[in-house]
Amino acid sequence: MDTQTTATLEAIYDKCAANEDNIITVLQEIQKEFGYIQEEVVHWFSERSNIPASKYYGVVTFYSQFHQHPRGKNIVTVCCGTVCHVKGAPRIIAKVREDLKLGEDQVTTKDMQFTLERVNCVGACSIAPVVLVNEKVLGKVTPSKMVKSLKEHKG
Ligand code: FES
């Protein structure tokens, strides 16, 4: 780990006064700084705070707000709840994959511009199928509407 990263981690450690009661806050700060929760960072905090890494991972895996892999600049979140599924979410996902040239099991484009994610019901079933592009909610999404939205976000 380079000195700059270590200094950043020390700053987070001091700011949060890392202890077992504020693991969430620590992880939020880490994610804000690095974009995702890296394994080596968890181990650094584990050693520094004397809290087992498993406690950090317990929180990371429990809350969907935390990510263990680098994510793209734009996050395309397709709702895969029952209603959206019935109304065509699988077709939307297939279109996104095709348009972004995502290989099997690949969720982030090579240029780090897009990450495809799935969620369960986002509570907007009346406008299913629903897709979130970053924070923007798109309703009654069709494959062509999806492609248009992706185009707007391409650099
Ligand atoms: S199932 Fe997609 S919004 Fe409810």
Side-chain angles (χ1 to χ4, degrees):
M1 197 175 291
D2 60 44
T3 48
Q4 175 62 42
T5 306
T6 309
T8 305
L9 295 178
E10 281 290 352
I12 294 174
Y13 181 84
D14 289 344
K15 183 178 168 191
C16 300
N19 63 59
E20 291 216 22
D21 296 328
N22 66 0
I23 288 179
I24 292 179
T25 311
V26 170
L27 291 169
Q28 281 170 336
E29 289 293 325
I30 293 171
Q31 187 156 283
K32 198 158 58 167
E33 191 61 42
F34 300 99
Y36 70 108
I37 313 291
Q38 294 158 273
E39 198 178 321
E40 57 174 356
V41 169
V42 169
H43 288 287
W44 186 93
F45 262 90
S46 168
E47 266 178 41
R48 187 76 176 78
S49 61
N50 250 327
I51 300 170
S54 59
K55 293 236 176 191
Y56 286 95
Y57 278 116
V59 175
V60 169
T61 53
F62 185 79
Y63 294 99
S64 58
Q65 64 173 297
F66 295 120
H67 308 285
Q68 291 178 265
H69 301 285
R71 301 162 90 216
K73 189 171 151 219
N74 298 289
I75 310 297
V76 180
T77 311
V78 179
C79 177
C80 292
T82 310
V83 179
C84 286
H85 182 84
V86 171
K87 297 262 184 166
R91 274 188 301 136
I92 305 298
I93 288 178
K95 197 65 190 176
V96 172
R97 291 195 152 285
E98 180 195 312
D99 190 70
L100 298 180
K101 297 181 176 57
L102 288 171
E104 220 179 306
D105 298 330
Q106 188 189 354
V107 292
T108 299
T109 54
K110 282 199 186 91
D111 61 5
M112 298 302 289
Q113 286 299 303
F114 292 92
T115 291
L116 170 65
E117 296 186 342
R118 300 160 193 243
V119 279
N120 278 316
C121 187
V122 293
C125 307
S126 61
I127 55 165
V130 177
V131 176
L132 278 86
V133 178
N134 302 321
E135 265 98 61
K136 191 173 172 203
V137 179
L138 307 176
K140 299 192 188 301
V141 180
T142 59
S144 60
K145 199 169 165 181
M146 190 69 247
V147 169
K148 203 171 148 223
S149 174
L150 292 174
K151 201 171 167 195
E152 284 166 14
H153 289 84
K154 284 179 185 167

